[in-house]
Amino acid sequence: MTHTTTTARAVRGGLLAATALFVACAAPAQATVRGPEPAGDWLLLTVTRGDTRSGSTEGTLLLCDPPRGHAHADLACAELDRAGGDIAAVPLRETHCPMIYSPVTAHAHGQWRGRPVEYTRTFPNTCVLAARTGAVFALAEDPQAAPAPAPAPAS
């Protein structure tokens, strides 16, 4: 009888613990509290290489009043200024990219001239990313990796 009572208590305790764990895991996640957002034009930029669930991610905060926080802040801010803060409107660079599939996902969140900016796009490789977004997602410090400035629009 003692063995049965002890086993029943152990099973009951295990079920109680499992139920508590289930309830805790089923509760909605609390939103993370962010600090105050920077003033002026700013974008939080990230580039994820490979599958977005398991790839490596690098990122930086681009500030444009004055340009800082980014390896190529002056150029990126100038390109965004010409595009009115619309990353998709940054002029396409004429370049030849290899047909190698090595996906990268670019994400930007922030504000430009008081308007919210939200941008996410997956490109087939970093060459296409650079051709489509100019210096905006050129997060590397390497001067060899710095994109050539886009030609200024004809007046």
Side-chain angles (χ1 to χ4, degrees), residues 61-134:
L61 180 64
L62 171 65
L63 300 165
C64 289
D65 296 320
R68 62 193 184 280
H70 183 289
H72 310 286
D74 290 330
L75 186 55
C77 291
E79 287 178 349
L80 283 166
D81 199 38
R82 285 193 299 270
D86 182 3
I87 297 169
V90 170
L92 176 66
R93 296 179 194 275
E94 289 196 33
T95 187
H96 297 284
C97 292
M99 293 181 62
I100 297 172
Y101 186 70
S102 180
V104 290
T105 300
H107 178 75
H109 164 79
Q111 73 176 19
W112 190 266
R113 304 292 186 245
R115 291 188 320 253
V117 173
E118 199 66 43
Y119 176 89
T120 301
R121 184 161 175 199
T122 300
F123 298 91
N125 56 50
T126 56
C127 180
V128 177
L129 167 68
R132 300 273 178 170
T133 63

Side-chain angles (χ1 to χ4, degrees), residues 18-95:
T19 302
L21 181 61
F22 177 74
V23 169
C25 291
Q30 297 296 320
T32 56
V33 178
R34 292 186 191 186
E37 294 178 341
D41 298 333
W42 64 274
L43 293 176
L44 178 59
L45 305 167
T46 59
V47 175
T48 303
R49 298 176 191 287
D51 185 357
T52 56
R53 294 177 302 251
S54 62
S56 65
T57 301
E58 61 181 301
T60 192
L61 180 64
L62 171 65
L63 300 165
C64 289
D65 296 320
R68 62 193 184 280
H70 183 289
H72 310 286
D74 290 330
L75 186 55
C77 291
E79 287 178 349
L80 283 166
D81 199 38
R82 285 193 299 270
D86 182 3
I87 297 169
V90 170
L92 176 66
R93 296 179 194 275
E94 289 196 33
T95 187

